Amino acid sequence: MKSVLRRSRCPPQNLRSSKVRHDALDALVSSPPRAVLPKIQHSRLQATINSACKMWILDGAFAEELVRVHGKAITNTPLWSASCITTDPGAIQTVHASYLAAGADIFLTSTYQAAPSNLSATYKIDRAAAESILRQGVQLALDVRDKSAVPGKQVALSLGSFGATLADGSEFTGAFAKTTTRAELAAFHADRLRAFGAEILGKVDWLAFETVPTIVEVHAILDALRDVRAEGLPVALAWISVSARNDAETGAGDAIETVARAIADANFGTVASLPPFNGKPFPAVILGINCTPPEYLTGLLRKIHAAQPNVPVVVYPNIGEQWDGAKRCWIEGSGWTDDEYARVAKEEWAPLGVVGVGGCCRTTPSTIRALRRAFGGETSDKDAAS
């Protein structure tokens, strides 16, 4: 049977052989008080929203660019693109720069599949060294942002599902939630945020929780955000992006409306420096959809918009190509063209509460250029790596 590969930050289960256990998870569980957050000032973002098109353009496939352009053999590794943080940081920065040159407003870090636990297990290093690698991965992106010839570019800290760090494909199914409690998942996400430290968290523009397959983990991430904010860590703006298995449900089978309701009811305050959304202050935590075939997006967005019209959404599905599990290769021509992808994004997705659009698996800088053309604005070859 042919299976569809997901986000390039999320390789298909049949390509991922390494599995890392989080044996110390129980020790992380805590339950500090919850609090409703007030309005948040985010001065960098006030100047970065594209007033001409009112749409943020995200980057595209990351690990696949490391493979396609730089020949990195990272697909079957437990850290995936994060393995290049220590082995070839220049390649990471080149990929970042290629997406900025294509017109991306927001680009994600190479930390999707990394956490202190699997970094320590993979490299046989202590916690402090693992934290250093995490921070280095983010700093690579921050340096590209800050040196960009075009002002206003934004960095989103990529934070994969708990399942992604297991490297067993469970970020697509939510199987881990059968044996891992909400409290344990919240402890994992809070612990990973603490590992980046206040200095790094204060420099990124977004937290991007990605490929979340189950409502249990959505609630756990919201719990974790409350926990670290109560501790004083500077986390101001985030999206929680789910994977979906059809046009109505998450990867684990939860109704997409349930997820949208959880985001709407989170009471994380608003971002005073961003323009209103649907006539209301822009919320500090928004919804996302990634690791999903593009043909599911319109149906998902219609359901979200009907149920929770005041929830902004960022979307970055894959290009729609299918993976031939028997031949272990992509089926050429089975996906959407870049122009078709951009046209549907503008005509169908944008009117349904979408504030940001980018790409997942098998998208390239060419895809992002097509989105940039569709929504207006310019690419910048000044940001292309030499």
Side-chain angles (χ1 to χ4, degrees):
M1 180 180 293
K2 298 171 182 177
S3 61
V4 179
L5 183 67
R6 313 284 187 170
R7 173 72 167 157
S8 95
R9 294 186 179 86
C10 320
Q13 184 172 349
N14 61 359
L15 285 182
R16 300 169 62 188
S17 58
S18 299
K19 182 175 181 179
V20 177
R21 292 184 60 197
H22 296 281
D23 295 322
L25 193 59
D26 290 343
L28 300 176
V29 178
S30 60
S31 54
R34 313 298 184 196
V36 175
L37 277 296
K39 288 186 177 181
I40 297 165
Q41 296 292 335
H42 201 313
S43 58
R44 268 190 51 80
L45 291 179
Q46 188 165 14
T48 60
I49 190 166
N50 190 320
S51 59
C53 66
K54 295 183 173 60
M55 181 66 67
W56 283 302
I57 303 299
L58 281 60
D59 65 359
F62 193 88
E64 284 177 0
E65 286 296 286
L66 289 172
V67 174
R68 183 180 72 90
V69 177
H70 299 278
K72 299 301 177 183
I74 57 175
T75 303
N76 287 312
T77 64
L79 299 175
W80 210 18
S81 56
S83 62
C84 291
I85 295 172
T86 56
T87 61
D88 196 346
I92 288 176
Q93 291 193 311
T94 299
V95 174
H96 287 324
S98 71
Y99 280 116
L100 293 191
D105 300 307
I106 302 173
F107 62 105
L108 286 86
T109 63
S110 58
T111 53
Y112 169 82
Q113 202 158 301
S117 50
N118 62 0
L119 284 166
S120 295
T122 299
Y123 293 131
K124 310 302 181 187
I125 56 178
D126 62 17
R127 167 84 182 204
E131 291 181 353
S132 178
I133 292 172
L134 287 173
R135 291 191 290 269
Q136 181 184 350
V138 181
Q139 192 61 53
L140 292 172
L142 293 173
D143 289 346
V144 172
R145 180 196 70 184
D146 295 342
K147 293 175 182 177
S148 171
V150 180
K153 299 299 184 180
Q154 304 170 38
V155 168
L157 172 53
S158 178
L159 301 161
S161 162
F162 174 76
T165 66
L166 299 177
D168 62 357
S170 58
E171 70 268 42
F172 304 138
T173 66
F176 58 83
K178 297 177 181 178
T179 56
T180 312
T181 67
R182 171 174 166 175
E184 289 172 330
L185 291 170
F188 164 79
H189 284 286
D191 179 69
R192 181 171 54 177
L193 287 171
R194 295 184 192 106
F196 287 99
E199 182 178 359
I200 287 293
L201 293 177
K203 291 179 179 178
V204 298
D205 302 291
W206 298 82
L207 301 180
F209 296 92
E210 303 187 272
T211 330
V212 178
T214 169
I215 187 65
V216 173
E217 190 171 25
V218 170
H219 283 300
I221 291 168
L222 292 170
D223 292 344
L225 285 171
R226 293 187 184 97
D227 292 347
V228 298
R229 283 183 174 181
E231 296 167 11
L233 285 178
V235 289
L237 190 60
W239 72 67
I240 301 175
S241 186
V242 298
S243 59
R245 67 184 188 183
N246 53 41
D247 68 355
E249 299 172 318
T250 69
D254 301 307
I256 194 64
E257 296 94 336
T258 303
V259 177
R261 186 180 309 115
I263 300 296
D265 293 344
N267 294 323
F268 267 86
T270 58
V271 184
S273 51
L274 285 179
F277 176 79
N278 202 22
K280 298 181 180 296
F282 198 95
V285 178
I286 67 175
L287 181 58
I289 304 171
N290 75 303
C291 291
T292 299
E295 58 266 29
Y296 297 159
L297 262 291
T298 300
L300 288 162
L301 289 167
R302 284 174 177 164
K303 293 175 178 64
I304 294 168
H305 194 61
Q308 301 293 338
N310 296 322
V311 173
V313 187
V314 295
V315 297
Y316 43 118
N318 59 46
I319 202 66
E321 283 191 3
Q322 293 182 322
W323 176 257
D324 188 326
K327 296 181 179 179
R328 298 180 65 81
C329 66
W330 294 103
I331 302 173
E332 293 294 336
S334 61
W336 293 14
T337 67
D338 292 338
D339 287 341
E340 179 184 14
Y341 189 96
R343 177 186 62 78
V344 174
K346 184 173 184 180
E347 294 178 2
E348 297 186 18
W349 305 341
L352 295 171
V354 171
V355 296
V357 59
C360 296
C361 288
R362 302 295 278 177
T363 61
T364 68
S366 176
T367 313
I368 304 310
R369 287 181 186 275
L371 288 170
R372 181 81 280 167
R373 289 193 302 268
F375 285 97
E378 298 179 356
T379 61
S380 173
D381 290 332
K382 296 177 183 178
D383 279 327
S386 57

